[in-house]
């Protein structure tokens, strides 16, 4: 359907409100999901809901029309997200498929890649994921050793990746590999679009401490890719990856314009301090009220900062590196929320006593993954480095491999 890019936000909001009431299921009509191993139905449901959004003309709100979106502004997206608050939404597709991978292709992909992959994602036909981190890489993404070698008109991919969010449910992955070992590490990388069902690719799910199987590891054994799989330029993969990391930090920090709907990826509750104060019957306790007040204050600061920094980046008042501010503040806010929730629950966090059924169980499970927000989108230490060096102009930390050809860099012990 044709969309009017000049439609006012209020007109769009009114149309969205009426359409949502007529077409999308209300929250609470479906049972809450847990961390079970077989979540195929959740992904099928997400794709179905995305297809509904597309058919109704409310999918890909901020993506250009030529790639299947609506070509509207972030204000239109915010209005739709506010109106969709009480409805079931395909939140599983927000991160990384839309907010990171599709956004990266929009900035750096070929015309063919944009039309094929972004369009399919918006229509609910395909899911995208990231294939970046490696078992031996730690936080040094540019030091990766997964390699892609040219063989005629094809590339042959070998190596391993890990911590790939929802790769098991994805159709395509953005995979960073080394294509030149004779130049410094950042200069010899290339980004590829890899089909997750490619021959030679083995994928395993990784069980987390809370029972979740959200993350995956992948092994590439002579996976053959066409020349058209290259995203950006050969040996120019760090430029693509840098833009990808920007979108990841923006998404994790809450500033992405490509996220539609509110809440976590899954329907499993994650109580906050206010929820726990009510569930435990301690809302009148002065100390509990202090903890809840501190949480609500930082929540407001986080929300206001997201808006301010996002607007500043959009108008180039702040550089893209400012997305690390959002990433950093999000981790601080999430940590405080989890910590205060546990403090309010008290001994009940272990026994389940003295609260509404399930409340402390969900809080305890969430607390087990507390450190995850310090790692997603790059570690908190990296975020602090980026803020200090690229925003505040402080001296860069020493790097003994800077400017050294990668085949001369010592690795291991």
């Amino acid at each position: 359907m044709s969309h009017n890019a000049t439609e006012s936000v209020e007109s769009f909001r009114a149309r969205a409100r009426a359409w949502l009431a007529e077409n999308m299921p209300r929250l609470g009509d479906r049972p809450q999901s847990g961390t079970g191993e077989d979540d195929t139905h959740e992904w099928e449901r997400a794709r179905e809901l995305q297809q509904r959004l597309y058919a109704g003309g409310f999918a890909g709100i901020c993506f250009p029309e030529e790639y299947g979106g609506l070509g509207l502004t972030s204000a239109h997206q915010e209005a739709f997200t506010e109106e969709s608050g009480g409805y079931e939404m395909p939140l599983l597709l927000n991160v990384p498929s839309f907010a990171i991978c599709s956004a990266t292709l929009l900035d750096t992909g070929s015309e063919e890649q944009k039309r094929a992959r972004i369009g399919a994602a918006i229509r609910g036909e395909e899911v995208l994921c990231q294939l970046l981190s490696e078992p031996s890489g730690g936080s040094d993404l540019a030091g990766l050793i997964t390699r892609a070698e040219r063989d005629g008109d094809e590339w042959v991919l070998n190596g391993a990746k890990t911590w790939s969010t929802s790769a098991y449910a994805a159709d395509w992955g953005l995979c960073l590999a080394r294509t030149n070992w004779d130049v410094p590490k950042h200069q010899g990388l290339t980004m590829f679009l890899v089909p997750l069902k490619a021959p030679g690719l083995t994928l395993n799910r990784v069980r987390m401490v809370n029972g979740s199987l959200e993350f995956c590891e992948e092994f590439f054994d002579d996976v053959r890719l066409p020349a058209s799989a290259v995203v950006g330029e050969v040996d120019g993969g760090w430029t693509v990856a840098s833009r990808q990391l920007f979108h990841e930090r923006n998404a994790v920090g809450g500033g992405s314009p490509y996220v539609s709907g509110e809440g976590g990826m899954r329907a499993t509750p994650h109580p906050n301090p206010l929820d726990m104060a009510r569930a435990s019957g301690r809302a009148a306790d002065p100390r509990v009220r202090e903890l809840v007040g501190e949480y609500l204050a930082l929540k407001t600061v986080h929300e206001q900062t997201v808006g301010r920094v996002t607007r500043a980046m959009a108008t180039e008042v702040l550089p893209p590196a400012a997305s690390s501010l959002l990433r950093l503040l999000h981790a601080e806010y999430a940590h405080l929320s989890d910590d205060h929730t546990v403090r309010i629950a008290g001994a009940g966090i272990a026994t389940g006593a003295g609260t509404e059924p399930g409340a402390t169980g969900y809080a305890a499970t969430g607390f087990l993954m507390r450190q995850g927000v310090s790692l997603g989108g790059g570690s908190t230490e990296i975020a602090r480095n980026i803020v200090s060096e690229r925003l505040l102009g402080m001296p860069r930390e020493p790097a003994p491999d800077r400017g050294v050809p990668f085949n001369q860099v010592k690795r291991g012990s």
Side-chain angles (χ1 to χ4, degrees), residues 25-26 40 107-108 117 141 155 170 194 200 246 261 265 267 314 339 353 361 375 396 407:
R26 287 276 182 180
T40 303
D107 292 343
T108 62
R117 302 284 78 81
L141 177 59
W155 291 90
V194 179
F246 159 75
M265 289 176 61
D339 293 349
L375 301 172
R396 296 186 66 178
N407 55 14

Side-chain angles (χ1 to χ4, degrees), residues 288-335:
V288 169
R289 295 176 71 86
E290 287 181 5
L291 295 175
V292 171
E294 188 176 354
Y295 157 74
L296 292 175
L298 188 55
K299 181 176 184 288
T300 300
V301 169
H302 176 253
E303 293 171 347
Q304 294 296 316
T305 302
V306 167
R308 180 180 180 185
V309 172
T310 299
R311 290 190 296 271
M313 289 191 294
T315 56
E316 298 184 352
V317 173
L318 286 175
S323 62
S324 289
L325 289 170
L326 304 183
R327 157 66 187 77
L328 188 59
L329 183 56
H330 171 74
E332 297 290 331
Y333 162 62
H335 283 167

Side-chain angles (χ1 to χ4, degrees), residues 276 279-280 345-356 360:
M276 187 55 66
S280 63
I349 199 71
T351 65
T355 62
E356 295 176 0
T360 51

Side-chain angles (χ1 to χ4, degrees), residues 131-385:
L131 305 173
L132 296 179
S133 299
E134 298 194 355
S136 62
S139 295
D140 183 17
L141 177 59
L144 61 84
I145 57 176
T146 292
R147 64 189 184 278
E149 299 168 318
R150 197 189 298 269
D151 182 16
D153 293 333
E154 294 183 314
W155 291 90
V156 182
L157 188 64
N158 284 280
K161 298 289 182 177
T162 192
W163 309 129
S164 308
T165 303
S166 304
Y168 65 94
D171 301 285
W172 296 83
L174 283 173
C175 180
L176 192 62
R178 188 163 302 282
T179 47
N180 190 340
W181 298 71
D182 300 322
V183 295
K185 61 183 182 181
H186 293 84
Q187 299 173 24
L189 304 172
T190 302
M191 188 72 75
F192 295 90
L193 257 175
V194 179
L196 271 295
K197 299 296 189 293
L201 196 162
T202 302
L203 184 149
N204 300 320
R205 297 178 71 171
V206 179
R207 185 179 298 279
M208 305 299 287
V209 69
N210 68 343
S212 168
L213 292 168
E214 173 187 353
F215 295 104
C216 299
E217 60 181 2
E218 300 81 28
F219 300 94
F220 306 92
D221 296 294
D222 292 332
V223 175
R224 304 190 76 87
L225 302 171
S228 61
V230 173
V231 179
E233 302 293 333
V234 173
D235 293 344
W238 189 250
T239 298
V240 181
S242 296
R243 195 61 185 167
Q244 190 170 340
L245 292 172
F246 159 75
H247 286 299
E248 182 173 12
R249 291 167 185 141
N250 217 20
V252 171
S256 174
Y258 304 110
V259 170
S260 195
E262 291 183 329
M265 289 176 61
R266 299 185 182 278
T268 304
H270 191 158
N272 58 46
L274 182 57
D275 296 329
M276 187 55 66
R278 291 168 173 165
S280 63
R282 301 182 63 196
D285 184 315
R287 177 54 182 156
V288 169
R289 295 176 71 86
E290 287 181 5
L291 295 175
V292 171
E294 188 176 354
Y295 157 74
L296 292 175
L298 188 55
K299 181 176 184 288
T300 300
V301 169
H302 176 253
E303 293 171 347
Q304 294 296 316
T305 302
V306 167
R308 180 180 180 185
V309 172
T310 299
R311 290 190 296 271
M313 289 191 294
T315 56
E316 298 184 352
V317 173
L318 286 175
S323 62
S324 289
L325 289 170
L326 304 183
R327 157 66 187 77
L328 188 59
L329 183 56
H330 171 74
E332 297 290 331
Y333 162 62
H335 283 167
L336 182 139
S337 177
D338 285 339
D339 293 349
H340 283 7
T341 300
V342 170
R343 290 189 180 100
I344 293 170
I349 199 71
T351 65
T355 62
E356 295 176 0
T360 51
Y362 289 126
T365 303
F367 186 77
L368 289 175
M369 292 296 290
R370 174 189 183 278
Q371 292 306 114
V373 293
S374 292
L375 301 172
S379 70
T380 290
E381 290 77 11
I382 288 177
R384 292 187 187 279
N385 275 357

